[in-house]
Each structure stands twice: as structure tokens, then as C-alpha cells.
Amino acid sequence: MNSRSKKETKKAAVLPYMCEAGFFVDRGMRFLHRSDYDRALRCFRRAVELEPSNPENLCHLAGVLAETGQFESSNELLFQVVNEIAPEKSEVLFYLANNFANMEQYEKAEEMALRYLQESQQVEYQEEAHDLLEYIYFEMGISPRRYFGTPLEPLYIKHDAARKSLEEGKFFEAIRTLEEIVEEKPDFIPACNNLALAYYYTGSIDKAMSMIDQTLEHEPGNLHALCNLAILLAHCNRMTELFPLLEDLKKVVPFHPEYAYKLATTMGVLGQHEEAYHLFVRLFRRSFPQEASALHFAAISAYSTNRIQQAIRWWQKAKQMDPTAGIADYYLQLAQERLLGKHDEEKERKPIPYYYHQPMEPLPEEMKWNSVEEVKDDSMIRSSLLWALQYGKEEVQEMVIQTLGMIGDEEARSTLESFSETTNSAKLKQKARIALKQLKAKLAPDSAPNRTKANLPAQADIADDEVSASIKASFSTDADKPLREWALMRWTEYLEKTAHPLHVRKPVAWAAALEYLYQKSNGQKVTQAAVAQKFDTSTATLAKCVKELSMLDLNLF
């Protein structure tokens, strides 16, 4: 046999390799994950050729077309799915709404979003659909024409309020609302996910884990819940469970931008910066709203993977969008120093956290704010206070308790109540209860044998009210505010500690004693005789009150 015959025989023996559609789908997903859109398109097109009536394959192809800006071609496939192949796949209407919004065809986008809300039997994208409608109406410059036909609408109104509370750092307020929603509608997945986050932020890790489990029972593949689970597993150092979940999350290529954003930030928080970077690149290619926080997170992923020039570009954009925050300025300087080889090695060792704020040093022993209103209105400060209360050093926790007592709103009360019930420190428990008492909060009975106002003799009840009134009257000016707050706190602490308060005829003597102690604590030269004369009380009575208050161990002398 000649050489030509041998080659022909060998060639004839090679059979064509036939692959199933699933093979091309898997390859397409891998290419898409690497932002290799040309190869991903070829793979998904091949999958559609092999299974032209498979709605999942058509949606995958439509998704990649949208990623590359081919929205009209994407819509053709999506309409084919919803009109001909699988009308029950109502989520396709939501994909169409997103595409039309990207094409700036807002009336069609509104139509698709409203149809989705009407026809969907699930709640997977309900929240995102309402957000999309708000964006559409803003772009159209008209008043919202929200769809009120769904029986879930009242819950969505409550859920919007809870989300706002979360954003403002009012976690306990959010928890109360979200718990009501979940009790009424256990399969309302967005509320379940946000409740898990709120539990996590308040240090209730077991409750957060339980809520995630409940969510995954209703919807095993819910991406938000899986991302939250990954964060909690990392927080609890349960690496054996985290690693397989992390590998599964790395294979996910979300169609919806909000899901991609959630996955990108989760990957960043978990230190998977390469995956986070590619997800952010995909997001911005799809006209994802480039808010300052999103650009900041993307810049972190670029910086952490040594793409310094790209990080600088994103931080520059973030600075343009939020010029007064100063956040981008700090990191731009850091990146520029790294380019010039002047970076601080200590800064380099510290990973940049995926939070939209400047690096926060540990809370100081003396936390000073310009005003209480500043703390009330700043969600970042409130979040930091709560985190420090859960995980800070004891001296910092004491200062947080005092600050929350000064804030005095419902969220501060809830925070102190929760902390007093869960802390293992008897000292901190007592201080939290003192702050609550000062706020006139109703404390639940404590299992510890601490004395409360309920078992005080009637005489002490009267003294408590009279002394408190005397303190407020004696130190009533703005200049006296630090002294007034300090004196009220010390008086409440005294009542908590003593089983038999000293009874004096003139309650103002207590105010005099407290001023004397306050002045001494601030290094002022003051005599008991001078203070007694100022308050029109006897030196002997003042001395008795000072001696009683010395049990507080104030370290004043």
C-alpha cells in the first residue's frame, strides 16, 4: 500500500466528534466568565443550533448579546422565548425591560417591567423591577406610575422603608420591619436576604445563618442568599464549608446586573479580587449605573490585582461623581505613590476593605462629635458605633454605650437593650442598663440579682425624681450640658449600685455633690464649703453625699 492510500485510510478512520448542547453551554459559561465574548457567542450559538427549542440556551445567547451591546438581537431571541417557546418564563419580560432601558426606549421598558410584575408567579426580580421602574420614570421625567395590582404591594412599601433603614445604619429599626414582613410572607426572598444582613450587622450571627437557611429552603439557588452565606462562613472561619461554595460561586455568570454587582462585591470581600475585577468590567460594559461606590469597589479590585492604572481611572471617575467625600482622593494618592515606588509598606500589607469610606482607625477612647445630631444623621458613624459595641475593646464599648445614651432615639434604645441582653460582661451589662434607665427605657426583668427601681422603697423613688429634676434645674444652660449629662449618668449609676440610697432632706444637695465631684475630676480647685454655699446647703450634708457617691469608684481623687 502506498503512502497516499495509508493517509486516506487513516483519515477515513477518524470519526467526527459530536458534542451535546450542554458541552457548549459549559464552555460558553467559562468564556463568559473570562469576558471572552467572541468565543462565548460562538459556543452559545452552537448550543442553540443543537437545541433550538431550549429556552435556557436562547436566554444564555441573548444575555451575551446584551453584554456586547447587541440589544436588538438579544430582544429577538427573548421575544421568541416568551411568545413561542416558554411563555411561562416570565423573567424573560424582566430581561427585555432591562434591554429596552439600555436602548433608552423607556416606554417599552416600562411596558415589559409592568407585564413582569403582573404575570410573574415568583418574587425573584420583583424588587429589581420596582427599582428599574423608578429609574425609567426618572429618565422619562414623569411621576411614578407604579403598578398597584399585586397583593404584595403593601409589603414592598414596608420593604422599601426597611431598606432605607439599613442604608442609614438603623439596623434594629430595619429588623423590626423585616421580621413583620417575613412573618406575613415567609417566601418573600428579598426581605429574607435583607433580614439576614441586618442580623449580621447587629452581631446576631446565629439568627443570620438561620434566616439564610430558610431562604435557601424556599429557593436553593438564590444568589443573594448564597453570597450572604459565603460571607458568614468566612466570618465564622468555617473554611471547609466555604471553599466548595466559593468554587461554585466562581462558576456563576449572572444575567441581571444587580446580581452581578452582588457577586462582584462578595468576591471582593472574600479576597477573590481577580474574579471581582472581571465581574466589574462586565458590569460597566453593560451600562451598569456607575455610582461612586461601585466605581470605588471596582478600583479596589483593580488595585488589588496590580492593575494600578485602571484603578486610578476608576477612582478619578468616582471623584468626579462624589467630589466632596474625599474617599477617592485618599486612594488616588495611595495608587500614585505605588506607581512612583513611594508607597508605605505598612499600608500595602493592609487589604482595602470593600466599604465606601476612608480607612477608619480604631475608635478612640474619647469619641468626640460636633453634635449628637451628627451621629444621628450619619449612617457610617452609626454603623461604626454598632460594630464597635459588638467587637471593640471594653473601654471602647463603654464609650459607645455612653454615646448611644446621648443619642437617645429608638434605634439607640434597641441597640442598648439587645446588648444588655447578650453581653457576657457584667460591667458592660450594668452600664448599658444605666444608659437605658437614663433614657427611661422599660427594661425586661434581668435574671441577675441586680437591683432595679421596681424594688426600691417608695422614698427612694421620690428622691430619684426630685434629684433628677434638681440636677436638670441646677445645670440648665448649654454651657452646663456636659456637667448635666455626667451628673444624671452618675446619679442613675448610684441608684443602680446601692440597695439603700442615702436620704437627704434637700435633693439639691445631691446636685451640689455631683458638681463638686465633676469639678474635681476636671482638675479644678474647689472646696466643699464653696459649693455648699452656692447651693444653699450645709457642708455636712454635702460631705455625706460626696462620701456616698465615692462608692462609684470614679477615680476622681
Side-chain angles (χ1 to χ4, degrees), residues 299-350:
I300 294 172
S301 70
Y303 183 88
S304 302
T305 54
N306 206 32
R307 297 177 172 94
I308 310 302
Q309 295 286 6
Q310 180 60 64
I312 290 174
R313 285 192 288 271
W314 277 332
W315 270 319
Q316 287 173 337
K317 284 187 179 180
K319 180 179 178 179
Q320 292 173 359
M321 302 193 74
D322 192 3
T324 61
I327 298 171
D329 290 312
Y330 175 89
Y331 289 107
L332 278 170
Q333 181 180 352
L334 186 70
Q336 295 287 0
E337 288 175 353
R338 182 166 171 178
L339 279 180
L340 298 172
K342 298 179 180 180
H343 55 279
D344 188 326
E345 291 185 3
E346 184 177 348
K347 288 182 180 179
E348 284 293 305
R349 286 195 297 268
K350 294 181 180 179

Side-chain angles (χ1 to χ4, degrees), residues 127-182:
E127 182 180 1
E128 289 84 354
H130 283 288
D131 290 342
L132 178 60
L133 280 171
E134 290 181 3
Y135 167 74
I136 291 168
Y137 295 139
F138 174 79
E139 291 295 328
M140 294 172 73
I142 62 175
S143 300
R145 300 194 297 252
R146 291 177 65 137
Y147 173 70
F148 286 94
T150 169
L152 288 176
E153 185 65 26
L155 289 185
Y156 275 97
I157 294 173
K158 290 178 69 174
H159 188 241
D160 285 343
R163 282 201 306 163
K164 184 178 179 182
S165 297
L166 275 177
E167 292 169 359
E168 294 175 350
K170 299 177 181 178
F171 301 121
F172 287 99
E173 182 177 288
I175 286 172
R176 286 191 292 271
T177 304
L178 291 168
E179 284 179 339
E180 292 175 3
I181 296 172
V182 171

Side-chain angles (χ1 to χ4, degrees), residues 2-255:
N2 58 34
S3 60
R4 182 178 178 182
S5 299
K6 288 181 181 179
K7 288 182 180 179
E8 289 176 350
T9 302
K10 184 176 182 180
K11 185 176 182 180
V14 177
L15 299 175
Y17 178 54
M18 300 298 293
C19 297
E20 296 181 348
F23 169 80
F24 291 102
V25 170
D26 289 341
R27 283 179 61 82
M29 287 294 189
R30 288 199 293 271
F31 287 132
L32 185 57
H33 187 71
R34 298 201 295 264
S35 300
D36 190 341
Y37 297 109
D38 291 338
R39 291 185 178 181
L41 278 172
R42 287 200 294 271
C43 287
F44 287 127
R45 283 194 172 111
R46 182 60 178 147
V48 169
E49 289 175 5
L50 292 170
E51 293 182 358
S53 298
N54 186 317
E56 298 297 334
N57 294 346
L58 289 166
C59 285
H60 287 317
L61 179 55
V64 184
L65 289 169
E67 292 273 3
T68 57
Q70 302 178 63
F71 297 112
E72 291 183 0
S73 298
S74 175
N75 284 351
E76 289 178 9
L77 294 174
L78 294 174
F79 275 122
Q80 183 182 348
V81 172
V82 76
N83 293 334
E84 302 172 16
I85 298 175
E88 72 281 359
K89 285 184 69 65
S90 57
E91 65 269 23
V92 173
L93 296 169
F94 181 64
Y95 302 154
L96 284 163
N98 275 280
N99 280 355
F100 280 124
N102 279 306
M103 297 166 69
E104 298 184 1
Q105 297 183 26
Y106 297 118
E107 291 184 358
K108 289 184 178 180
E110 178 196 22
E111 177 189 351
M112 292 298 112
L114 292 177
R115 276 188 60 190
Y116 170 73
L117 289 172
Q118 289 174 300
E119 298 178 19
S120 176
Q121 300 300 313
Q122 300 178 352
V123 294
E124 182 176 6
Y125 296 124
Q126 292 271 0
E127 182 180 1
E128 289 84 354
H130 283 288
D131 290 342
L132 178 60
L133 280 171
E134 290 181 3
Y135 167 74
I136 291 168
Y137 295 139
F138 174 79
E139 291 295 328
M140 294 172 73
I142 62 175
S143 300
R145 300 194 297 252
R146 291 177 65 137
Y147 173 70
F148 286 94
T150 169
L152 288 176
E153 185 65 26
L155 289 185
Y156 275 97
I157 294 173
K158 290 178 69 174
H159 188 241
D160 285 343
R163 282 201 306 163
K164 184 178 179 182
S165 297
L166 275 177
E167 292 169 359
E168 294 175 350
K170 299 177 181 178
F171 301 121
F172 287 99
E173 182 177 288
I175 286 172
R176 286 191 292 271
T177 304
L178 291 168
E179 284 179 339
E180 292 175 3
I181 296 172
V182 171
E183 183 178 358
E184 183 176 348
K185 189 72 176 176
D187 60 348
F188 188 10
I189 302 301
C192 294
N193 283 328
N194 282 327
L195 183 54
L197 283 177
Y199 282 145
Y200 171 67
Y201 292 144
T202 55
S204 301
I205 304 301
D206 291 340
K207 285 185 177 181
M209 195 69 76
S210 176
M211 183 52 55
I212 290 173
D213 290 340
Q214 177 179 325
T215 303
L216 292 174
E217 285 180 12
H218 287 293
E219 193 176 311
N222 184 270
L223 185 61
H224 276 273
L226 291 172
C227 288
N228 292 342
L229 177 59
I231 298 294
L232 257 68
L233 291 174
H235 176 85
C236 298
N237 202 31
R238 291 162 58 175
M239 297 304 170
T240 304
E241 299 168 76
L242 173 62
F243 289 147
L245 174 58
L246 192 56
E247 290 304 311
D248 289 339
L249 288 175
K250 288 180 180 180
K251 299 174 185 176
V252 174
V253 183
F255 181 90

